[in-house]
């Protein structure tokens, strides 16, 4: 299988005081194949979210190299990084990150417009992906009028709208009840199988990991298995 994400000897420190640093990642190397659904697990402070942020071009490593679809990205200028984030990657977060004053369809359309699509095209694409995630009848509702599971479906639709090669999720089921969590996990797996989109999911939930192809376990800034 073709490699879609490759990280080589990634290290990252965060300054928390004048002479005090936390080593979030310590020489981490990882490869993720195209079409895989991968869970990243570990206790709090293990470095899993830092790793996801670096793989998703939301942060840069202090040392090491990151490749997405064969292209090195850790050394790119901000403009190039923004383009990769908006057109090649999709993101799903624990808190949904929806704009409360906008309708579901507007929240999704915004991601397409940000990537450069015209307004009318963005709207049509939004309708299509919202229907795909089972929200055909709820797309003209604001987040406050939707359940947690429905809000996360909107977030998944938003992550899909630009046909990304990779979708990264940071605790995507963390704010959901068990039933909604199971529905969201199965939906992501179905999308993964139907479209071949790679999923990388940071999670504490063993049920999420169970559905994935494999699990990367982290501890103290390193991959342990």
């Amino acid at each position: 299988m073709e490699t879609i994400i490759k990280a080589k000897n990634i290290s990252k420190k965060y300054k928390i005081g004048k002479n005090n640093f936390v080593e979030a990642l310590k020489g981490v190397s990882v490869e993720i194949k195209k079409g895989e659904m991968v869970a990243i697990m570990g206790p709090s402070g293990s470095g899993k979210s830092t790793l996801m942020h670096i793989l998703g071009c939301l942060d840069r490593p202090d040392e090491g190299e990151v490749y997405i679809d064969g292209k090195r990205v850790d050394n790119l200028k901000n403009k190039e990084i923004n383009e990769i984030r908006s057109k090649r990657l999709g993101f799903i977060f624990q808190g949904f990150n929806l704009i409360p004053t906008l309708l579901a369809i507007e929240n999704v359309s915004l991601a397409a417009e940000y990537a450069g699509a015209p307004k009318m095209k963005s709207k049509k694409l939004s309708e299509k992906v919202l229907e795909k995630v089972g929200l055909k009848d709820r797309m003209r509702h604001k987040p406050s009028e939707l359940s947690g599971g429905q809000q996360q479906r909107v977030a998944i639709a938003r992550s899909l709208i630009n046909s990304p090669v990779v979708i990264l999720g940071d605790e995507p089921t963390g704010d959901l009840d068990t039933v909604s969590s199971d529905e969201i996990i199965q939906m992501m797996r179905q999308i993964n199988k139907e479209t071949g989109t790679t999923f990388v999911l940071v999670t504490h939930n063993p049920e999420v990991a169970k559905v994935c192809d494999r699990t990367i376990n982290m501890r103290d800034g390193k991959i342990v298995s």
Side-chain angles (χ1 to χ4, degrees):
M1 289 172 69
E2 185 183 341
T3 298
I4 194 77
I5 296 180
K6 184 176 184 179
K8 295 169 63 177
N9 300 317
I10 295 297
S11 294
K12 183 70 178 180
K13 289 181 182 178
Y14 292 107
K15 190 172 183 178
I16 58 172
K18 189 174 181 181
N19 297 305
N20 197 6
F21 293 86
V22 170
E23 283 190 273
L25 295 175
K26 304 171 185 176
V28 169
S29 296
V30 66
E31 287 192 25
I32 294 168
K33 303 297 184 184
K34 196 170 189 176
E36 271 194 304
M37 188 165 177
V38 177
I40 302 177
M41 297 190 78
S44 296
S46 62
K48 58 188 186 298
S49 289
T50 301
L51 177 60
M52 193 212 80
H53 289 164
I54 288 174
L55 297 181
C57 300
L58 296 170
D59 202 354
R60 296 178 188 264
D62 296 327
E63 295 177 17
E65 300 173 5
V66 181
Y67 297 83
I68 295 177
D69 211 5
K71 181 181 178 68
R72 187 173 176 184
V73 296
D74 61 278
N75 59 351
L76 296 179
K77 293 179 180 177
N78 287 339
K79 186 177 178 182
E80 294 171 292
I81 285 283
N82 289 340
E83 190 162 332
I84 287 170
R85 272 202 306 259
S86 64
K87 295 182 178 179
R88 307 286 284 161
L89 305 174
F91 298 92
I92 308 167
F93 298 99
Q94 179 174 344
F96 319 133
N97 284 19
L98 302 177
I99 299 172
T101 55
L102 298 183
L103 304 178
I105 190 170
E106 293 169 333
N107 267 284
V108 177
S109 293
L110 208 57
E113 289 176 44
Y114 181 70
K119 200 159 191 174
M120 283 304 295
K121 184 180 179 182
S122 298
K123 185 182 175 185
K124 287 180 180 178
L125 287 170
S126 299
E127 289 173 348
K128 190 175 178 182
V129 290
L130 282 164
E131 189 170 343
K132 187 180 183 70
V133 300
L135 291 179
K136 183 179 179 180
D137 300 327
R138 307 291 288 173
M139 62 178 70
R140 301 191 190 282
H141 288 69
K142 291 182 179 179
S144 61
E145 300 168 324
L146 302 173
S147 69
Q150 289 170 335
Q151 289 184 64
Q152 195 60 297
R153 286 170 186 256
V154 176
I156 291 171
R158 181 182 57 194
S159 76
L160 287 168
I161 195 164
N162 295 318
S163 302
V165 293
V166 180
I167 290 177
L168 300 108
D170 196 354
E171 299 286 359
T173 63
D175 279 356
L176 302 178
D177 59 50
T178 304
V179 173
S180 297
S181 176
D182 289 344
E183 289 175 356
I184 292 299
I185 297 164
Q186 293 304 326
M187 174 178 289
M188 289 189 292
R189 187 53 163 165
Q190 185 179 348
I191 291 166
N192 163 253
K193 287 183 173 179
E194 286 179 359
T195 66
T197 305
T198 305
F199 277 74
V200 181
L201 306 174
V202 166
T203 184
H204 280 104
N205 186 348
E207 297 303 314
V208 174
K210 203 181 291 183
V211 172
C212 293
D213 296 309
R214 64 187 172 106
T215 301
I216 296 167
N217 290 292
M218 297 191 69
R219 185 177 293 275
D220 299 327
K222 294 180 179 180
I223 292 174
V224 293
S225 66

